[in-house]
Structure formats: structure tokens, C-alpha cells
């Protein structure tokens, strides 16, 4: 069985072009096969000699021949016609009408409604005198049809059996059903085959789309057309190289930052013994900046590279925001919560708090104050951190989200209090939560940093105990 299945697979083209061509040819062949089957199933099986319409037409031809022949030739012509057309049962007629009771006048009149009699009149082309010879008495052994006496304008007389049109009406419903079934069947088969052909491409696109955020969440397709399999393997190799590069960079940055702590500590101890106060102060300041840079780099490695397996929990966003505001207020910073709603999101509380802390720290540092708000949006939940600082020029807004980029390019490390990692860490944390991070200037001055996260539950106010527990949990972490 398996060997047979493998042989059948070997017959299917491995390329996209070959499979599309096979799909088109198969659909055309299937449509023709079903149309042919419907034709032979629904066609009307009849022999020309037995067809009522053919019999009426032939009788009209014989009648025209007798009308145009001389009276002496008519008997021979009539005998030959009777012999050549036995189904019509042609015989001479003396012109006598059957005696029909007055109560049976309707029976006499029915000959005018007979479809084959009407066809006989049309085939002759001129006036014919027709009499229903079976109007008074129909023989018991008579076959279907009507026995008529015919008299032409030229005086020729004959009787013949005009068959009934007993053919069933055309089965239009069956024909319509057949073609509707044909269209539906071909469409479904084509859709199924097309889906089977494009499914590997869809999985490949999904895997490429999530790459860089969740790395190995979607497996690359291992079957399908040859081109898709080749591209999948190339993307898998590229994904492995990128992961290796990111891991190497992260480990190198972490190792360098960690190892620099020891010599910085030794230099700080030695600087304490410098006798010149100014030199000692400048040296300690430089060492503080170096230590800050090391701490920022370690923070970027820790918070900017979120592990794929980190578990998310339900977090009350209002409690996290209030906790951050209280911590800054405790040290004398002008930080207030302007608007808040208790909304639950799926998040990692410590990372979410770190992102908000970075935004509030920037707002206090460059704007002197920070105003926080938690609002509900169409997409989910938004946390806004606003300040009254100078803002960020539109041309520099995208660059500000990159590591080690600071807003004021003119400042140097001698006067700078930051290292350009805060916003990049926020961006990495928000993207790991499948959210969106934006910066926009305020009028007339100031900046608003917005974190948008997908909402997990509808906007509700949890019980007070739940809010307290969430706040205590975030504070403890």
C-alpha cells in the first residue's frame, strides 16, 4: 500500500508550474467527463422511424405526392407508401365519415388539438380535410395514436395512423441540476487542490512573519512544491544563522559588561587615594559614567532580549502604573496619574513595570514632570506618559528607538546622564508583548510616549481584593 502511494506521488509534478498545469488539465478533463456523462444519461433515445414528429412529416410528404399525382397513378403510389412506411398503416379511404352521436361532438373535435395532426397540416402547407375515423368507435386492438382520413385539394384520399406524441417532456430540472452539480464539484475540487498547493506558502509566510519576535513559534513547511521546500530550507538555515548571531552578540555584550565591573571597582578604590580634589572628582565621575554604561548594557541584554518561554500572567495595568508613580513621587519627582481604569492584560509584570519606569524616567529627566494615564482603545489598552519637555523632531523619532541613540546629538559623555538604551528597551518589551510603541509631540511643547497592548478581558473593575493583590504582587516583584 505504501509503495503504491509512493508511486502515485512520483507521478505528481514537484514544481509549482507543473502542479498548476496539472490542476488546470485535471479540472478541464473532469468537466468534460461529467458533461459527457450527463449527455449520455439525459439524451433522448429514439429511432427516427418511431419518432412521432418524423412520422407526421413523412405522412405529409406522401400526401403531397398523392395530391400531385394523376388519379390513375395514385393506387400504386399509395400501395408503395404503405409498404415503405408500415408504422403509418396507410390505406385507401372512400371518404365516408363515421356516425358520431351528438353527445360525442367533443370527441370529434379533439383531432384539431392533436399535435401530430397539426404538424401534418403544417407539413402539407395547404388546406387538408381531416376526419377522425375512430371518433365513433376505437378498435380494441388499436395502438396508440389516431386514425385519420385525409382528403387533399386535388381529390386524393387515404387513411393513416397518426401516432401520439407520448414522449416525456424535456427534463430541464435534471439538466440544470447536472450542470449545477458539475460547476460545484469542479469548483470544490479546484479549491481543494489550490489550497493544498498554497498551504505550504501560507505556512512559510507565517513563519517568516513571526521570525525575529518569537523565533521558533511556527515550524517551517517540509512538504509541498519543490520551490517551496527549497525556500523553506534556505529560510531555516538563515533563521539558524540569525539566532546564532543574536546569541553570540548577546553573550559577548553580557560578558564584556560583566567583566568590566571588576576593573571599574578597582579603579574606584584607587581613585579615592588621589590627593588632588578636582582630579579625584573628575575621575570618580568618569568611573560612574562607565559603570552606568555597563549597567545600561546589562539591562538592555536582560530586558531587550525576552526569552520565548517567559510565562505571562493577568496583570492589572492600573496597579502597575500607580506603583511606578508612587515610587517616583517618594523621591520627590513630579509624577502623577491623570486618568486610570482597571484593565486586565496578559503580560510579564516585571518587564511591563520596567518599560513604564524607563518612560517616566525620561519624562522627568527631560521634561521635569510626568503625567500617566491608562485608557481603553479599540485595539486594547493604552498607557500614555506625557511631559512638557522639548519633544523629539520628526526626523529623529525613528532613530530614537535604536540602541545607544540619544535625543540631543550635541551632548557628549562628559555631560550626558543617559546612554540611549531606555527607549530601545521599552520597544523590545512592548514588541515581546505583541503590542505597539509610539512617540508623538504635543502642542505647544512636550512629548507623549504611548504603549498599546492587546486587551485580554473586557474593561471591568475587578474586586478591590484583586486589585490590591495585583498591586502588592507588582510591588513585590
Amino acid at each position: 500500500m505504501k509503495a503504491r502511494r509512493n508511486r502515485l506521488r512520483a507521478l505528481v509534478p514537484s514544481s509549482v508550474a507543473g502542479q498548476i498545469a496539472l490542476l488546470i488539465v485535471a479540472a478541464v478533463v473532469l468537466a468534460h467527463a461529467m458533461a459527457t456523462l450527463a449527455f449520455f444519461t439525459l439524451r433522448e433515445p429514439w429511432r427516427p422511424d418511431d419518432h412521432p414528429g418524423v412520422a407526421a412529416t413523412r405522412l405529409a410528404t406522401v400526401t403531397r405526392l398523392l395530391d400531385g399525382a394523376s388519379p390513375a397513378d395514385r393506387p400504386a403510389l399509395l400501395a408503395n407508401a404503405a409498404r415503405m412506411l408500415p408504422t403509418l398503416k396507410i390505406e385507401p379511404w372512400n371518404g365516408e365519415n363515421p356516425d358520431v352521436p351528438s353527445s360525442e361532438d367533443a370527441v370529434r373535435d379533439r383531432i384539431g388539438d392533436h399535435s401530430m395532426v397539426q404538424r401534418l397540416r403544417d407539413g402539407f402547407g395547404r388546406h387538408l380535410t381531416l376526419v377522425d375515423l375512430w371518433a365513433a368507435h376505437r378498435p380494441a386492438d388499436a395502438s396508440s395514436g389516431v386514425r385519420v382520413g385525409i382528403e387533399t385539394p386535388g381529390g386524393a384520399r387515404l387513411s393513416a395512423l397518426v401516432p401520439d406524441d407520448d414522449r416525456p417532456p424535456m427534463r430541464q430540472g435534471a439538466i440544470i441540476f447536472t450542470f449545477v452539480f458539475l460547476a460545484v464539484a469542479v469548483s470544490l475540487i479546484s479549491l481543494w487542490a489550490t489550497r493544498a498547493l498554497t498551504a505550504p506558502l501560507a505556512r512559510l509566510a507565517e513563519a517568516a512573519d513571526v521570525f525575529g519576535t518569537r523565533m521558533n513559534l511556527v515550524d517551517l513547511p517540509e512538504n509541498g512544491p519543490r520551490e517551496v521546500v527549497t525556500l523553506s530550507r534556505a529560510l531555516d538555515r538563515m533563521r539558524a544563522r540569525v539566532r546564532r548571531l543574536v546569541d553570540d552578540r548577546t553573550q559577548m555584550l553580557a560578558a564584556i559588561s560583566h567583566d568590566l565591573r571588576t576593573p571599574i571597582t578597582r579603579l574606584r578604590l584607587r581613585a579615592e587615594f588621589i590627593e588632588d580634589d578636582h582630579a579625584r572628582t573628575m575621575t570618580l565621575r568618569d568611573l560612574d559614567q562607565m559603570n552606568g554604561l555597563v549597567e545600561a548594557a546589562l539591562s538592555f541584554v536582560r530586558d531587550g532580549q525576552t526569552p520565548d518561554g517567559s510565562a505571562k500572567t493577568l496583570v492589572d495595568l492600573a496597579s502597575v502604573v500607580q506603583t511606578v508613580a508612587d515610587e517616583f513621587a517618594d523621591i520627590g519627582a513630579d509624577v502623577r496619574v491623570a486618568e486610570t481604569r482597571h484593565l486586565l492584560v496578559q503580560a510579564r509584570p516585571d518587564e511591563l513595570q520596567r518599560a513604564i519606569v524607563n518612560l517616566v524616567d525620561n519624562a522627568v529627566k527631560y521634561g521635569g514632570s510626568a503625567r500617566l494615564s491608562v485608557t481603553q482603545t479599540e485595539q486594547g489598552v493604552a498607557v500614555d506618559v506625557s511631559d512638557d519637555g522639548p519633544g523629539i523632531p520628526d526626523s529623529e523619532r525613528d532613530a530614537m528607538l535604536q540602541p545607544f541613540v540619544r535625543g540631543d546629538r550635541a551632548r557628549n559623555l562628559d555631560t550626558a546622564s543617559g546612554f540611549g538604551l531606555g527607549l530601545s528597551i521599552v520597544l523590545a518589551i512592548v514588541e515581546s508583548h505583541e503590542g505597539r510603541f509610539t512617540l508623538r509631540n504635543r502642542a505647544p511643547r512636550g512629548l507623549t510616549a504611548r504603549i498599546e497592548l492587546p486587551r485580554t478581558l473586557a474593561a471591568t473593575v475587578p474586586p478591590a481584593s484583586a486589585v490590591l493583590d495585583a498591586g502588592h504582587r507588582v510591588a513585590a516583584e
Side-chain angles (χ1 to χ4, degrees):
M1 188 67 179
K2 186 176 181 179
R4 183 183 301 174
R5 191 181 299 112
N6 292 334
R7 286 196 298 270
L8 291 177
R9 288 179 179 176
L11 297 177
V12 179
S14 59
S15 63
V16 174
Q19 291 187 9
I20 293 177
L22 179 62
L23 174 61
I24 295 175
V25 172
V28 172
V29 170
L30 178 62
H32 279 279
M34 296 186 67
T36 303
L37 178 62
F39 171 77
F40 281 105
T41 302
L42 300 176
R43 74 185 181 94
E44 189 176 304
W46 55 272
R47 294 182 302 169
D49 292 341
D50 296 335
H51 195 275
V54 174
T57 302
R58 289 178 176 177
L59 182 57
T61 302
V62 172
T63 304
R64 285 198 305 269
L65 291 175
L66 290 175
D67 184 64
S70 62
D73 294 333
R74 287 173 181 171
L77 184 60
L78 189 63
N80 290 332
R83 187 175 65 254
M84 297 297 297
L85 303 171
T87 58
L88 295 178
K89 299 181 179 180
I90 299 175
E91 297 177 355
W93 178 51
N94 57 9
E96 294 182 357
N97 294 335
D99 294 331
V100 181
S102 59
S103 61
E104 298 182 8
D105 287 344
V107 179
R108 179 190 297 273
D109 292 339
R110 75 183 180 87
I111 191 174
D113 299 331
H114 199 282
S115 60
M116 290 300 103
V117 171
Q118 185 61 40
R119 187 159 182 168
L120 171 62
R121 293 180 185 274
D122 296 338
F124 185 76
R126 289 182 293 164
H127 175 71
L128 277 177
T129 301
L130 300 175
V131 178
D132 187 358
L133 299 180
W134 286 349
H137 176 70
R138 185 182 182 90
D141 59 346
S143 58
S144 62
V146 57
R147 188 80 180 181
V148 296
I150 305 172
E151 182 176 357
T152 68
R157 294 172 180 170
L158 72 153
S159 68
L161 178 64
V162 179
D164 292 331
D165 189 7
D166 54 358
R167 297 170 301 160
M170 182 177 293
R171 292 172 287 182
Q172 295 182 352
I175 295 176
I176 294 175
F177 172 77
T178 300
F179 280 99
V180 169
F181 174 77
L182 171 63
V184 171
V186 172
S187 299
L188 290 178
I189 293 176
S190 299
L191 288 175
W192 172 79
T194 303
R195 184 176 178 83
L197 181 62
T198 57
L201 287 174
R203 292 198 303 272
L204 184 62
E206 184 182 3
D209 185 58
V210 302
F211 177 63
T213 57
R214 285 167 284 177
M215 291 296 184
N216 291 322
L217 184 61
V218 178
D219 293 332
L220 293 172
E222 298 180 356
N223 53 9
R226 183 176 59 246
E227 294 87 349
V228 175
V229 174
T230 302
L231 180 59
S232 176
R233 291 172 180 171
L235 182 61
D236 190 42
R237 291 193 296 269
M238 182 195 73
R239 192 164 65 172
R241 289 195 297 268
V242 171
R243 280 199 304 268
R244 217 165 33 243
L245 179 63
V246 171
D247 292 341
D248 292 345
R249 186 206 68 168
T250 303
Q251 292 176 5
M252 179 186 68
L253 184 59
I256 293 175
S257 301
H258 182 272
D259 292 344
L260 281 176
R261 283 179 168 180
T262 301
I264 289 175
T265 302
R266 290 199 300 264
L267 287 174
R268 177 181 291 276
L269 293 175
R270 293 172 183 173
E272 296 292 342
F273 295 99
I274 298 177
E275 296 181 359
D276 189 297
D277 292 340
H278 177 73
R280 182 173 63 255
T281 301
M282 297 303 296
T283 302
L284 291 175
R285 181 180 178 182
D286 290 341
L287 291 174
D288 288 339
Q289 290 181 345
M290 292 176 61
N291 188 67
L293 180 60
V294 169
E295 293 294 336
L298 286 175
S299 176
F300 177 72
V301 172
R302 181 178 63 252
D303 297 328
Q305 306 294 330
T306 303
D308 295 336
S310 299
K312 295 180 182 179
T313 59
L314 278 178
V315 178
D316 181 12
L317 201 55
S319 298
V320 176
V321 170
Q322 189 63 54
T323 300
V324 173
D326 292 343
E327 289 177 353
F328 276 89
D330 289 343
I331 60 175
D334 185 8
V335 177
R336 287 181 291 174
V337 178
E339 180 183 359
T340 183
R341 296 185 64 179
H342 291 290
L343 299 170
L344 300 178
V345 295
Q346 283 279 2
R348 288 175 281 269
D350 52 345
E351 295 180 8
L352 197 57
Q353 181 173 348
R354 177 59 188 272
I356 299 175
V357 166
N358 284 357
L359 295 180
V360 174
D361 183 63
N362 282 345
V364 172
K365 186 184 302 181
Y366 299 112
S369 63
R371 299 294 177 267
L372 287 79
S373 65
V374 179
T375 56
Q376 182 177 351
T377 64
E378 294 181 359
Q379 292 77 20
V381 183
V383 178
D384 290 331
V385 179
S386 304
D387 60 55
D388 297 324
I392 301 175
D394 294 341
S395 59
E396 298 182 4
R397 196 169 299 164
D398 293 336
M400 287 294 299
L401 300 179
Q402 301 300 319
F404 302 104
V405 176
R406 291 176 292 129
D408 188 355
R409 302 295 181 86
R411 291 184 299 174
N412 52 46
L413 284 176
D414 292 333
T415 58
S417 57
F419 303 99
L421 287 173
L423 294 181
S424 60
I425 292 174
V426 174
L427 177 62
I429 292 175
V430 173
E431 287 183 346
S432 71
H433 285 77
E434 302 179 11
R436 184 166 171 260
F437 178 53
T438 56
L439 299 171
R440 68 177 186 275
N441 290 323
R442 301 172 58 205
R445 59 183 283 113
L447 179 74
T448 296
R450 165 168 285 200
I451 295 176
E452 293 183 74
L453 299 174
R455 188 173 68 254
T456 302
L457 301 178
T460 57
V461 179
S465 59
V467 175
L468 276 175
D469 292 343
H472 292 163
R473 184 174 63 253
V474 173
E477 291 172 349

